[in-house]
Amino acid sequence: MKRPGKIVCVGRNYGAHAAELGNNVPDEPLLFFKPPSAVIGSGEAIRLPGYSKQVEHEAEIGVVIGRRTRNVSESEAADFIAGIVCVNDVTARDIQRVEEQWVRAKGFDTSCAIGAHMKPFAEIADWKDLEIICRVNGQERQRGVARDMAFGIPFLVSTISHVLTLEEGDLVSTGTPSGVGLLCPGDTVEVEIPGVDTLTNPVLAA
């Protein structure tokens, strides 16, 4: 997949994940950025930053924007979505807890793994049925379904489009279900959206 021009991420979009970190689901989508320099593809290594002792996986459903999107309604949003990809929003959790801005926690190099295959949004019967699964060394850690999102995919695209213009190829990462956990050197982490793709990355020290 071509590197996106910008990556807009959504925090605390699954109630169980928000609760496992001691947070509430926000009243409106909690948005933050990852830089394009954070992107790696399937098969490339996630390198754990030396300043963190607790780097965790976050399996997410990624939404690829198909054309320039500005001030669209929720009902119009699907027409602006190109497709769905697997995303791993790798997070330095210990840094996230102590810093209000998440640049070091979420924006380090290799912190945004994106799957190689995109399934066209028009080929998805119902986005609410999309599942997201994470495995580390073959052991399942996360499993969620899009219908459990606090803010659904069309609503997110619409909301973001009223804040900033989304361009073709931009990525919206829609949040992670519960079960986030530690990544260690030597691990292999997989993010799967059944029927879409499986994203696989080895984990290395910095």
Side-chain angles (χ1 to χ4, degrees):
M1 177 183 159
K2 181 181 176 183
R3 179 182 284 186
K6 56 183 171 291
I7 304 149
V8 185
C9 302
V10 183
R12 303 171 190 166
N13 198 27
Y14 290 78
H17 170 63
E20 74 181 347
L21 299 182
N23 299 308
N24 296 318
V25 173
D27 293 331
E28 298 182 54
L30 174 60
L31 306 178
F32 62 94
F33 287 112
K34 279 181 176 278
S37 55
V39 171
I40 56 172
S42 192
E44 295 184 81
I46 295 167
R47 294 189 174 271
L48 307 178
Y51 55 77
S52 173
K53 299 184 186 313
Q54 188 183 1
V55 176
E56 298 185 347
H57 56 79
E58 291 193 8
E60 307 201 2
I61 296 168
V63 176
V64 181
I65 300 301
R67 58 193 174 103
R68 191 173 188 272
T69 306
R70 177 64 178 160
N71 290 336
V72 302
S73 68
E74 185 175 355
S75 62
E76 295 170 325
D79 294 334
F80 293 81
I81 298 172
I84 297 295
V85 294
C86 298
V87 177
N88 193 344
D89 171 20
V90 185
T91 301
R93 191 73 63 203
D94 51 349
I95 305 301
Q96 185 187 25
R97 288 194 184 102
V98 299
E99 295 184 356
E100 293 184 7
Q101 299 292 328
W102 293 351
V103 173
R104 291 206 307 155
K106 296 275 195 177
F108 57 89
D109 289 352
T110 77
S111 67
C112 187
I114 303 175
H117 178 70
M118 180 187 76
K119 183 164 185 175
F121 198 67
E123 295 179 10
I124 296 170
D126 189 341
W127 65 264
K128 297 184 189 71
D129 293 331
L130 289 169
E131 287 187 283
I132 183 72
I133 302 163
C134 181
R135 303 179 191 91
V136 177
N137 303 325
Q139 180 178 2
E140 185 174 307
R141 289 193 179 176
Q142 293 182 273
R143 182 180 288 264
V145 63
R147 70 169 52 87
D148 292 334
M149 292 178 181
F151 307 105
I153 289 173
F155 181 84
L156 289 173
V157 171
S158 172
T159 297
I160 293 166
S161 81
H162 283 80
V163 177
L164 53 89
T165 300
L166 293 165
E167 305 286 358
E168 180 181 357
D170 285 350
L171 180 71
V172 176
S173 198
T174 58
T176 196
S178 62
V180 297
L182 191 66
L183 292 174
C184 300
D187 285 345
T188 298
V189 56
E190 297 174 296
V191 173
E192 180 185 4
I193 301 174
V196 176
D197 194 18
T198 300
L199 163 66
T200 304
N201 299 94
V203 180
L204 301 177

